[in-house]
Amino acid sequence: MDSLDIFNELSELIKLRINSCSEVVHPNSWIERRQHKDYDLWCIQEGQIEIRMKEKAYLASEGDLILFTPKIAYTATTLSTSCKFIFTHFDLSLGDHHRILDNFQLSGIINSTLVEEEIRLFLDTYDQYKRYAPMSGIRLKGCLTILIAKILEQYGHKQYRGEFTHNPTNQKPTMDFVKLEPVFDFIHENLHQTIRVEEIAAVAGMSEKYFISYFKQSLGLTPGRYIYQLKMNRARELLYLKRYSIQQIASMLGYPDPYSFSKAFKKYYKVPPSKFVW
């Protein structure tokens, strides 16, 4: 299983918050040296911008996106008579992990051709947002979510890799998702059984105590919570099929009896499985 699949599996646990969104125009004398506490996405509308990080320089042109991850220092300057861009500061978290995107090399300049439709949708919504149109704040959040999802999709297809310094020396290293991919595969292949933490810790080649800590730091939730989420996702799918009894579904998901399954299901969905699909 690809590690990016977690965004589908755990979509209910993903939270996106826009901290600010506005547009700026800078003259050709503009220079900015900064690092941000949150994620920052620029949509270049006019001109060209050079981004410098240490000894390297990167060029963004009209239509491109620039994605900055937190705590990465940069110097930005315009290479034309002026530049204009929309900036969006946002946080995206999964469970207790407030920097989940740091697990992927996304920080960099994103060519507009990779996310053309999503950019157009975002810009159309931003025009409504700056006019304070009703519900435009909700739509802007939704469009930003779609845009980030498309960037992740292109990253997963190896059509995009961020070029900015991913892990500067003054930043704490992120967890390595690659180490967890065998664990994800094992859980998916054995979802029909009771899965013990010591089993998946052995798959990862870690002690149980270290594995639990590593997993939670990487994913923002415990291994048990992850397994529970997957079982509830699968239970929902099986119930919608209307082919299986509650007892059969309980068995297919590794629960010892229908009562245990129904209790777990009701805790998550607030209704028993017998009343979930009308």
Side-chain angles (χ1 to χ4, degrees):
M1 188 197 86
D2 191 285
S3 56
L4 282 171
D5 289 340
I6 62 167
F7 289 98
N8 277 333
E9 296 173 336
L10 306 175
S11 59
E12 293 93 339
L13 304 179
I14 292 174
K15 296 179 182 178
L16 185 145
R17 182 181 69 184
I18 295 178
N19 298 323
S20 62
C21 184
S22 189
E23 57 188 311
V24 291
V25 177
H26 294 296
N28 60 2
S29 58
W30 170 67
I31 297 178
E32 175 179 280
R33 297 182 178 89
R34 294 192 65 180
Q35 62 181 22
H36 300 290
K37 294 182 179 180
D38 52 9
Y39 296 103
D40 191 16
L41 184 68
W42 296 2
C43 181
I44 313 303
Q45 296 180 290
E46 297 175 8
Q48 291 184 318
I49 296 176
E50 180 186 81
I51 304 294
R52 283 194 170 271
M53 294 187 177
K54 296 184 179 180
E55 304 301 321
K56 292 187 177 181
Y58 309 89
L59 180 64
S61 301
E62 182 178 334
D64 291 341
L65 300 177
I66 308 177
L67 177 61
F68 298 98
T69 52
K71 299 182 180 180
I72 291 183
Y74 67 87
T75 299
T77 185
T78 182
L79 297 181
S80 48
T81 54
S82 65
C83 69
K84 178 182 178 181
F85 59 88
I86 296 170
F87 65 87
T88 307
H89 288 276
F90 68 96
D91 290 310
L92 191 146
S93 61
L94 172 57
D96 294 330
H97 195 329
H98 301 292
R99 295 286 180 260
I100 190 65
L101 296 180
D102 289 1
N103 287 286
F104 310 95
Q105 195 167 335
L106 299 176
S107 183
I109 295 171
I110 303 162
N111 190 282
S112 59
T113 59
L114 295 176
V115 287
E116 192 171 4
E117 183 178 344
E118 291 74 19
I119 290 177
R120 184 174 66 252
L121 181 63
F122 179 80
L123 292 178
D124 289 346
T125 306
Y126 175 76
D127 285 339
Q128 300 173 41
Y129 175 78
K130 69 181 181 181
R131 295 196 303 268
Y132 302 102
M135 299 298 174
S136 58
I138 294 176
R139 289 198 295 271
L140 188 70
K141 182 178 178 180
C143 291
L144 180 60
T145 303
I146 293 171
L147 181 53
I148 298 301
K150 185 63 175 183
I151 294 171
L152 284 166
E153 181 185 341
Q154 295 288 34
Y155 177 87
H157 291 158
K158 302 186 186 302
Q159 298 299 309
Y160 169 71
R161 281 293 183 278
E163 295 181 312
F164 293 172
T165 303
H166 183 53
N167 195 25
T169 55
N170 64 344
Q171 184 175 349
K172 183 179 178 181
T174 56
M175 299 292 105
D176 185 0
F177 262 34
V178 174
K179 292 183 179 179
L180 291 179
E181 287 183 1
V183 172
F184 297 147
D185 289 338
F186 180 87
I187 292 171
H188 275 263
E189 292 167 4
N190 294 276
L191 207 59
H192 61 289
Q193 300 178 2
T194 299
I195 302 173
R196 297 187 297 274
V197 175
E198 56 264 32
E199 287 182 291
I200 49 178
V203 171
M206 304 176 188
S207 70
E208 184 176 346
K209 183 177 180 181
Y210 179 74
F211 171 73
I212 293 172
S213 175
Y214 187 96
F215 192 98
K216 187 169 183 180
Q217 286 185 61
S218 298
L219 212 57
L221 63 161
T222 64
R225 182 66 177 84
Y226 175 72
I227 294 168
Y228 175 54
Q229 181 70 48
L230 262 58
K231 285 180 182 285
M232 291 301 101
N233 290 351
R234 184 62 178 147
R236 178 182 59 207
E237 295 167 3
L238 292 169
L239 284 167
Y240 279 137
L241 291 174
K242 296 184 178 180
R243 297 176 187 169
Y244 307 102
S245 66
I246 302 301
Q247 184 172 353
Q248 287 174 315
I249 294 175
S251 178
M252 293 165 73
L253 294 177
Y255 286 94
D257 53 67
Y259 173 76
S260 299
F261 165 65
S262 297
K263 183 178 179 181
F265 189 94
K266 186 175 181 179
K267 181 179 179 181
Y268 186 84
Y269 287 107
K270 311 305 179 186
V271 293
S274 58
K275 296 184 179 179
F276 185 71
V277 179
W278 296 91

